[in-house]
Amino acid sequence: MPQQPSPAKPTIGDVAAKAGVTKATVSHAFSGRRPISEATKARVFAAAEDLQWLPSASARALATSRANAIGIVLARDPAILASDTFFPAFIAGVESVLADAEVALVLQVAGSREAEERAYRAMASGRADGVIILDLHRADWRVPYVHQLGLHGVVLGAYDAPSPFTCVRTDDATPMAEMVDHLRGHGHTRIAHVAGPLDYVHSHVRSQAYVAAVGSDDLLTEGDFGAGSGRDRTAELLARPEPPTAIIYANDTMAIAGLSYARSIGLSVPADLAIAGFDDDHLSAHLSPALTTVATDPTERGRVSATALLADIAGEPARNIELDCTRLQLRDSTRTAPIPQGEEGR
Amino acid sequence: MPQQPSPAKPTIGDVAAKAGVTKATVSHAFSGRRPISEATKARVFAAAEDLQWLPSASARALATSRANAIGIVLARDPAILASDTFFPAFIAGVESVLADAEVALVLQVAGSREAEERAYRAMASGRADGVIILDLHRADWRVPYVHQLGLHGVVLGAYDAPSPFTCVRTDDATPMAEMVDHLRGHGHTRIAHVAGPLDYVHSHVRSQAYVAAVGSDDLLTEGDFGAGSGRDRTAELLARPEPPTAIIYANDTMAIAGLSYARSIGLSVPADLAIAGFDDDHLSAHLSPALTTVATDPTERGRVSATALLADIAGEPARNIELDCTRLQLRDSTRTAPIPQGEEGR
DNA sequence: ATGAAAGCGCTAACAC
DNA sequence: GTGTTAGCGCTTTCAT
């Protein structure tokens, strides 16, 4: 039989009484914000232990005007959210630093711009001290909005204006250029790119890097990160009069769907078509052929973002953090040069 | 240039002053907990709007002793978390009901039993009014622990003792039995099962159902839900003197890894080996062959769990909810009978 | 229909 | 090294 739910929750006053001191002493014994003799400290801890006292988070929040929590508002379509390998790994990184700091994470999923604003206002109303802004758009309205709400913040991505917040950036252009080089090295000349939604900063940057590297946007097309769009864009590309011999996808989900489609119409990978993704999904290394991709270490980015946000909340000035966390994972899906089919080689 | 972070946040007192009423009136105008004349209501709303007043969540929490938040503590290994299609979809379902109720979701990832207890205590200290208990184990310690902390709760899964909380159950046995039937119907007699960790209630139930259906546990083996274990268990099964002709995996991640492995050693799916998963991962329908699996509607389960938790918090009695949300998705990875290889037929 | 005032459980000046 | 005393910004009796 489980114990009774505690009859009446003990307060700091009860602990103080039991230890024969005042509330202030109890408070300071725990916070260490002023020296307390070892003797009384011991009595206080014993009393607290005895009463199973848990300091009230809301009372503390009210007294200090600090929520001791940070927030993340997810604006993604739930379907896309579910197909996302980035998010859980990112959260894991964030939590790993929050846990030590005794800071909580408040999550909110918003389906519309209005809901999103409501969510940020809720955060600002004392649920969170700051927020991490993800999935940065170009000229993202959330940066000034969040700032004006008086929240602290950190931006994951390269904000395209002077930012009041720390930006945690990754170099998305280089791995794309490297990937194109890698494919060229295997003899490919018609290399396509299925981008993510181009209003995302990172999608945009990558597609720009792609265009710069291949020198044309003829084989550039836009997906939505979902498996369905990976298949559809692939079908369209392969139906062209001059189909690509290699495709770089903006994420592994689309790449895997594309790979499966290519196979289903009788192409062999990488012999007929080379396939590369982005993200290094947990499955990618275990497919056959294993998928060439770009690992982007979401967990590390989560750790760094959370650390930066806590620093911002602690009053440190905003700064720019450039993360070097992308790694090309060359695997079998791009390793063999394709057999040029009735084409004048290169 | 973004606006200044609000110089001094207005309080309910400021609104009251501006509207020429008292704090009580402002409070009631918004909560509707007592009749206020239309005229003053209008003045109050105008003042609030003017001052951009956001009621303080922590002050309200302290005054009402309600956090207006619920919690989820994730005990999963981050690596497994990341390979998990269940979680983001579940969250999406949870949030869809929380948003309407103006309740927040507090998330915590705990890496050890100790961290997990700390996390629940943090929730109980006023961060959350109740929690959803996921990934239920047999004789799960968290149920009595959470109850004794005075938290409200809901359990996702079948708790194996009298539960003080509402349990949201799904019938995991039936789809497994149906899957075995389906494979038998295609002529399979050596059907293996790569289970999830057997200390999870649902893994256990499914594997029991599997054993009951096939009448033996010779071909039962245990994975960890990760792609690597899917590959390894598959390799072991296929290396046996009498390898299975069909494998049912406890999730799609392991199934996809298994499928890829089988192919990499020259087997064709489903001709040589039929493959089935569980979960209906977003990729599964887009593979070739498309993966037969069991859809389990995590979003719906999230919605129902959150609704049940809010009911519990509102004081309604615990009850048992049996959800009918599993559906066999029969696809190509199991559709053709295998060619019996030097074996005396059916 | 509205006002006045007493808390909710902490923290933080300010004393001594 | 410890006690006293105000609040933090709400909600909610109790009055009127």
Side-chain angles (χ1 to χ4, degrees), chain A residues 2-6 9 52 54-59 61-62 67-69 78 81-85 87-89 91-92 95 102-109 118 121 124-127 144 147-150 164 227-228 231 253 256-257 260-261 263-264 282-283 286-288, chain B residues 2-6 9 52 54-59 61-62 67-69 78 81-85 87-89 91-92 95 102-109 118 121 124-127 144 147-150 164 227-228 231 253 256-257 260-261 263-264 282-283 286-288:
Chain A
Q3 298 172 36
Q4 294 300 324
S6 22
K9 293 208 176 181
Q52 296 267 57
L54 294 176
S56 150
S58 25
L62 181 57
N68 286 306
L81 217 199
S83 76
D84 196 356
T85 182
F87 180 65
I91 293 288
E95 287 278 6
E102 307 240 309
V103 169
L105 174 63
V106 178
L107 205 67
Q108 211 142 337
V109 180
R118 238 197 346 262
R121 268 184 267 122
S125 77
R127 284 199 185 287
H147 184 237
Q148 166 234 317
L149 282 173
R231 183 202 50 221
T253 298
I256 295 171
S260 297
Y261 173 80
R263 257 199 188 149
S264 73
H282 56 279
L283 271 173
H286 299 285
L287 298 173
S288 73
Chain B
Q3 298 171 38
Q4 295 299 324
S6 20
K9 294 207 177 181
Q52 296 267 58
L54 294 175
S56 150
S58 26
L62 182 57
N68 285 307
L81 218 199
S83 75
D84 196 357
T85 180
F87 180 64
I91 292 289
E95 286 280 6
E102 306 241 307
V103 168
L105 175 63
V106 178
L107 207 66
Q108 212 142 338
V109 179
R118 238 197 344 264
R121 267 183 268 121
S125 79
R127 284 200 184 288
H147 185 237
Q148 167 233 318
L149 282 172
R231 183 201 53 221
T253 298
I256 295 170
S260 297
Y261 173 80
R263 257 197 189 149
S264 73
H282 56 279
L283 272 173
H286 299 285
L287 299 173
S288 74

Side-chain angles (χ1 to χ4, degrees), chain B residues 15 19 25-32 36 38-53:
Chain B
V15 176
T25 304
V26 175
S27 176
H28 290 126
F30 278 91
S31 70
I36 300 287
E38 286 306 322
T40 52
K41 237 187 220 169
R43 287 203 331 277
V44 168
F45 292 155
E49 175 63 35
D50 246 50
L51 296 169
Q52 296 267 58
W53 174 64

Side-chain angles (χ1 to χ4, degrees), chain A:
Chain A
M1 198 64 198
Q3 298 172 36
Q4 294 300 324
S6 22
K9 293 208 176 181
T11 75
I12 196 174
D14 301 330
V15 176
K18 177 143 196 170
V21 296
T22 64
K23 300 190 292 174
T25 303
V26 175
S27 176
H28 290 125
F30 278 92
S31 71
R33 299 176 81 71
R34 85 183 186 191
I36 300 287
S37 81
E38 286 306 322
T40 51
K41 235 187 219 169
R43 287 205 330 278
V44 167
F45 290 156
E49 175 63 36
D50 246 50
L51 297 168
Q52 296 267 57
W53 174 65
L54 294 176
S56 150
S58 25
R60 176 175 295 169
L62 181 57
T64 59
S65 27
R66 266 221 177 322
N68 286 306
I70 69 161
I72 294 182
V73 178
L74 254 5
R76 310 188 179 189
D77 169 0
I80 300 289
L81 217 199
S83 76
D84 196 356
T85 182
F86 167 84
F87 180 65
F90 183 80
I91 293 288
V94 169
E95 287 278 6
S96 70
V97 348
L98 294 190
D100 299 332
E102 307 240 309
V103 169
L105 174 63
V106 178
L107 205 67
Q108 211 142 337
V109 180
S112 65
R113 163 78 181 249
E114 193 206 333
E116 215 176 337
E117 294 189 359
R118 238 197 346 262
Y120 282 112
R121 268 184 267 122
M123 298 287 182
S125 77
R127 284 199 185 287
D129 303 315
V131 296
I132 300 180
I133 298 180
L134 296 181
D135 297 328
L136 195 67
H137 284 69
R138 290 191 274 164
D140 204 301
W141 62 271
R142 295 171 298 170
V143 176
Y145 190 78
V146 163
H147 184 237
Q148 166 234 317
L149 282 173
L151 280 168
H152 292 267
V154 56
V155 176
L156 186 65
Y159 185 59
D160 44 12
S163 165
F165 302 133
T166 290
C167 290
V168 176
R169 304 151 173 264
T170 9
D171 177 3
D172 289 304
T174 303
M176 176 58 88
E178 288 172 358
M179 187 66 90
V180 169
D181 275 357
H182 163 70
L183 292 168
R184 281 239 184 76
H186 283 259
H188 292 278
T189 54
R190 288 199 310 284
I191 302 171
H193 178 41
V194 178
L198 291 173
D199 45 341
Y200 285 128
V201 168
H202 65 282
S203 294
H204 186 244
V205 168
R206 288 176 192 174
S207 68
Q208 296 282 80
Y210 158 82
V211 171
V214 305
S216 145
D217 63 1
D218 283 354
L219 292 171
L220 171 61
T221 160
E222 182 178 357
D224 69 1
F225 288 136
S229 83
R231 183 202 50 221
D232 296 346
R233 293 300 89 72
T234 305
E236 290 157 17
L237 284 167
L238 295 179
R240 296 198 185 191
E242 290 216 316
T245 63
I247 308 180
I248 303 171
Y249 296 79
N251 72 356
D252 283 6
T253 298
M254 293 194 294
I256 295 171
L259 192 158
S260 297
Y261 173 80
R263 257 199 188 149
S264 73
I265 61 168
L267 295 181
S268 116
V269 176
D272 299 324
L273 180 69
I275 298 265
F278 251 91
D279 279 356
D280 201 13
D281 194 284
H282 56 279
L283 271 173
S284 303
H286 299 285
L287 298 173
S288 73
L291 185 68
T292 286
T293 185
V294 177
T296 55
D297 206 344
T299 303
E300 171 68 3
R301 291 194 283 165
R303 270 192 295 265
V304 171
S305 305
T307 306
L309 180 51
L310 294 183
D312 193 77
I313 292 171
E316 293 174 28
R319 57 208 191 94
N320 250 294
I321 303 180
E322 181 88 35
L323 238 48
D324 176 28
C325 63
T326 61
R327 297 275 172 274
L328 241 58
Q329 298 288 353
L330 301 180
R331 303 200 182 106
D332 292 342
S333 69
T334 57
R335 258 188 193 133
T336 303
I339 299 144
Q341 296 163 341
E343 179 206 348
E344 59 277 277
R346 176 279 175 352

